[in-house]
Amino acid sequence: MPDTPLKQAHAPTVSPRPSACPGLWRIVSARDGGICRIKLPGGLLLADQADAVADAAERYASGVIEATNRANLQVRGIGNDHAGLIDTLLAAGLGPRDAASDDVRNLMLSPLAGHDPAMRLDVRPLAEQILDLLQGTPRFHQLSAKFAVQVDGGEGLAMLEHPHDLWLCALHLEQRSWLAFGLAGCPADGQVLGAVPLEQGPALVRAVLGRFLDLASPEQSRMRQLLASCAVETFVAGLEVPLRRDAAVLQWRRETAGSPWLGVVPQQHGTALGVAPPLGRLTPDMLRGAAHITRQWGDGSLRLTPWQSLMLTNIDPAGIEQAQRALSALGLLCHSHEPLARIVACTGASGCAKAHGETKADAVTLSALLRTGAPASVHLSGCSRSCAVAHVAPATLLARSPGRYDLYLRDARQPGFGALRATDLTLNEAGAMLALPTEHLDD
């Protein structure tokens, strides 16, 4: 049986506020039509819900479905019948309690939360409590549609580089479970500011978000903006929750995650299967096919990942090879050595007016030129907003005009995309540089 999804309900009670960020009720316009973002509870998508998304994308839109880097889904190319699309998704249980609470459902977990062999803690019950808190507290509906929270249970399969406004990480001290936290960063390199006993996790979240709203000006929609004018220690000192801040907590650092997210992935009990739509784009047939496979061989659920991919959990070992063959036949990437698995690309000029190049098409061309590279190690961005990747990729090609790119390599000493290595490259020139045996592609 699939895991119980975090609680959802259907009927909207208020209209969504204006924002440039898509939501379920707020469909925003793009060059290729409307965009609807479906925020999934902890990345969880049941098989029947996957079918509903596929049907809605075909009936009300162009059939383009995107996996996002926050483990959500987007439907693109939406036509005029917004109400029909929204009603279909709500009927499938893919919406929050009301429209006002949709924006705050930015809660990211490991795609193997509750199943990862390396986890310190199953954080799904805590995540459900936090999601209830976000949805059920009207004051928190004032938060930006981009304000995000991460709950890390110490899993081996975890995205530790995406920055979040508040991140929480499980640790064990003195035979007790604690929840460490940090602000405006990520577990990979963020400063631990304190910890609370696990059962105080929701109270900590309430205190942090309330403190943020007390201090932030209207222009300060993200934690990093507030902390540019408010010292971290000043922020922490005003939290109305007892914190543990001794050396054992403040000097603690999260171990590096290292589990693969493509191919066969070990679970605590059983096996998971990671697959990726090429360049993050699913067709309705891909989504339906993945839903069919998880019904047949798995637990009837899919998990979206921050690598713009899918994780099928509790797959029967007897069906792994058959499932991979079926998913590969649908066009999904099932192995890390596949060339397109090395590349992440934004929507590009065909769908976004801000893009300076056709990044999706260029990525297909570039993939044939790359001989080496870890999955998602090369990022093609149509502009400086970096919509496809929330962290800095090992290598970034930034479009400057159709078919021409600037190449950046990740460098912790440099802001933005990293160190500029070459400018105005053709795809062949970029491919030749990236095909050289350099260490950065294996980061």
Side-chain angles (χ1 to χ4, degrees), residues 110 112-116 119 121-124 155 268:
S110 163
L112 280 186
H115 298 286
D116 196 291
M119 69 181 183
L121 184 71
D122 182 352
V123 295
R124 291 175 298 173
E155 297 88 358
Q268 200 171 51

Side-chain angles (χ1 to χ4, degrees), residues 342-346 359 366 376-399 405-411 415-423 425 430 434 440-441:
R342 301 172 188 144
I343 302 179
V344 180
C346 68
T359 49
L366 182 66
S377 58
V378 180
H379 169 212
L380 272 71
S381 187
C383 73
S384 60
R385 295 185 303 162
S386 188
C387 292
V389 175
H391 65 285
V392 179
T396 296
L397 288 168
L398 179 62
Y405 290 85
D406 294 341
L407 173 63
Y408 294 81
L409 300 184
R410 183 163 63 188
D411 186 336
F417 293 120
L420 179 63
R421 292 298 180 90
T423 62
L425 298 174
L434 291 169
H440 73 272
L441 290 179

Side-chain angles (χ1 to χ4, degrees), residues 207-219:
V208 170
L209 301 190
R211 179 81 168 144
F212 173 82
L213 290 172
D214 286 342
L215 297 175
S217 69
E219 295 75 28

